[in-house]
Amino acid sequence: QQQELIRNFSIIAHIDHGKSTLADRILEYTGALSNREKQDQYLDTMDLERERGITIKLQSVRLPYKAKDGKEYIINLIDTPGHVDFAYEVSRSLAACEGALLVVDAAQGVEAQTMANVYLALENDLEILPVINKVDLPSAEPERVKEEIEDLIGLDASEAVHASAKEGIGTEEILEQIVEKVPPPSGDPDSPLKALIYDSIYDSYRGVITYIRVVDGSIRKGMKVRMMATGKEFEVTDVGVFTPKPVSKDELAVGEVGFMVASIKDVKVTRVGDTITDANHPASEPLPGYRKINPMVFCGMYPVDSGDYDDLREALEKLELNDASLRYEPETSGALGFGFRCGFLGLLHMEVIQERIEREYNIPLITTAPSVVYKVYKTDGELLEIENPTLMPPQQQIDHVEEPFVRATMMVPNDFVGAVMELCQSKRGEYVDMQYLDANRVNIVYELPLAEIVYDFFDQLKSGTKGYASFDYELSGYKTSDLVKMDILLNGEPVDALSFIVHKERAYYRGRQLVEKLKKLIPRQMFEVPVQAAIGNKVVARETIRAQRKNVLAKCYGGDISRKRKLLEKQKEGKKRMKAVGNVEVPQEAFMAVLQMD
Ligand code: GTP
């Protein structure tokens, strides 16, 4: 029976341990990737992903594999995104599998994301197969890494494959282990349909393409289906598998992985984690684990040229079609004009969207510093969720404010324990736990305000540990904090887009630092510009940007036209990212300055 011959698995790894390279080897070995089609890393499709070497959109490939036992297996490799921002998507694609390859770099050993991914795999009851990759490296220590896997994760690593994805060593052994050790799907072919949505993308010709794993029953063309969380119903127009090219089939049977198309116009109705069922014979219960995910980080996005506003809205509309976790709504700023407040899963997600708008849609943006969502309890009993610091009510109306905290896990070599603890302490961290993993490495756990991580925490962690620290975090909840809103005034006028929320104890220091930084970033104008930081009516810091003395062109004597033109062009170039705030020209960097302090 076919179900017995299906194996569904993913690859989990810390970033750069070789997940994509190994996936390529497996595709090659099973013949799914003819040399002509071969691109460097097939599973990462978007250019931006390729450039950054990260996986954002999940995909799957169906691979035929004739094992040593003589049977023809169908092996489905389900790709997972590789960054903490996308933890929920990772957990849902793991939920579509029975097994996972745990790839660990033979020189680097276990790292923070290795652990985080293992926990997600264990939550989903997966059979985990350790693979020690990069054994070709002179610095490889496979035996030490095996011990680490046993000690830290508690997995039996005695049969871990020694592999080099780069040199194609170990690929067959990995496939054999998948066939032997990963259980076949256990679903019931005769129960009502239950299919897990683990991703969906928008295609301009076909509408939404939903990536699914059939858990019970089967799904066929022409069937009427219902999304259990959103309640929306559709007629299935196509189902199929990726080989990796999409190939239509009449049905996807129990245990199979593939796609469904049903003239759906909006990815928001096909939410990751939702269950698709037969509208005529619905399942009584959806699959477990569905969660509606909310953005954690918000920022304002404004076109540099206000004439680009409609284009920016269109760009966001298009991006949203493909990204169920992107949120945006129109917002007006006194300083920046008309724009949007956008919500993201995390910082990386935010950067990716910003870059795509600028690169693919060609719209220069001014973005404001990211903010988290604060819960403001007012004295009159009202609860506000504030995602834009400008909207903070006056201090006298506030009873207390809560901010989101994360549980952050950092793995570092011994030598840097002091530096990491100092950093966490300076970011208002609360110590939770510390574990010596072996003679040389320590796992440190802190509760930290998300707002501090949104700033430059990761950069500081990396530089404070010479790049050795690995880092992972998850939201742990809201806690009361003593927070105030800091306003920045230019030329006596408050600039809403520069307001930020800060812990009271650090307010003076931050205010001082920011005005100093702004003084450096804002070019001299024709007149003197005072820069002030204020809490309520109280000014806590002040600097002055002195007036400009000379016109740039004064330097060009005589009629050297081409030089003059060059200078003017250069000036124009520089102005691209300037925004006139009142009568002061403010560069983009100024709006992000609050992120680069300490
Ligand atoms: P992300 O996509 O960023 O999560 O990384 P990844 O885990 O997919 O790693 P990727 O496959 O991109 O490999 C990271 C780097 O390690 C690349 O430069 C690879 O060429 C290299 N690499 C992968 N496997 C091996 C191996 O077996 N040996 C050696 N020496 N290098 C390898």
Side-chain angles (χ1 to χ4, degrees), residues 53-125:
I54 49 162
T55 313
I56 301 163
K57 273 291 163 190
L58 326 165
Q59 289 194 18
S60 67
V61 203
R62 178 183 177 115
L63 308 163
Y65 177 62
K66 185 159 186 184
K68 286 186 176 154
D69 63 11
K71 291 183 201 156
E72 285 277 353
Y73 290 87
I74 293 169
I75 293 184
N76 291 304
L77 165 56
I78 296 173
D79 199 19
T80 57
H83 189 272
V84 287
D85 283 5
F86 307 102
Y88 180 67
E89 296 189 354
V90 176
S91 87
R92 289 311 84 200
S93 46
L94 293 178
C97 302
E98 278 75 34
L101 296 178
L102 173 66
V103 176
V104 184
D105 186 315
Q108 304 293 328
V110 172
E111 298 194 62
Q113 276 170 38
T114 315
M115 300 290 273
N117 283 319
V118 166
Y119 293 138
L120 293 176
L122 291 173
E123 274 169 29
N124 285 295
D125 290 326

Side-chain angles (χ1 to χ4, degrees), residues 410-414 416-417 420 440-442 444 465 468-470:
M410 290 146 285
M411 266 187 207
V412 290
N414 261 345
F416 299 111
V417 172
V420 170
N440 192 30
R441 264 170 344 132
V442 185
I444 306 172
T465 59
Y468 280 116
S470 61

Side-chain angles (χ1 to χ4, degrees), residues 273-290:
D274 195 4
T275 304
I276 301 177
T277 194
D278 183 344
N280 296 321
H281 305 279
S284 51
E285 294 270 314
L287 295 162
Y290 173 72

Side-chain angles (χ1 to χ4, degrees), residues 14-21 41 44 53-55 133-134 136-137 163-166:
H14 187 77
I15 203 149
D16 278 346
H17 283 198
K19 188 177 87 170
S20 307
T21 314
Q41 291 181 337
D44 296 345
I54 49 162
T55 313
N133 190 35
K134 307 199 189 181
D136 60 288
L137 289 176
S164 164
K166 192 175 166 195

Side-chain angles (χ1 to χ4, degrees), residues 410-463:
M410 290 146 285
M411 266 187 207
V412 290
N414 261 345
D415 297 351
F416 299 111
V417 172
V420 170
M421 293 183 76
E422 215 169 281
L423 174 65
C424 290
Q425 229 74 46
S426 81
K427 300 293 184 187
R428 303 191 280 129
E430 287 165 29
Y431 172 86
V432 178
D433 190 20
M434 182 157 83
Q435 245 180 308
Y436 281 79
L437 302 176
D438 53 38
N440 192 30
R441 264 170 344 132
V442 185
N443 191 31
I444 306 172
V445 184
Y446 263 86
E447 290 247 328
L448 286 159
L450 176 63
E452 299 287 346
I453 290 189
V454 162
Y455 289 2
D456 54 356
F457 182 82
F458 191 51
D459 289 341
Q460 286 193 36
L461 180 68
K462 281 278 173 196
S463 63

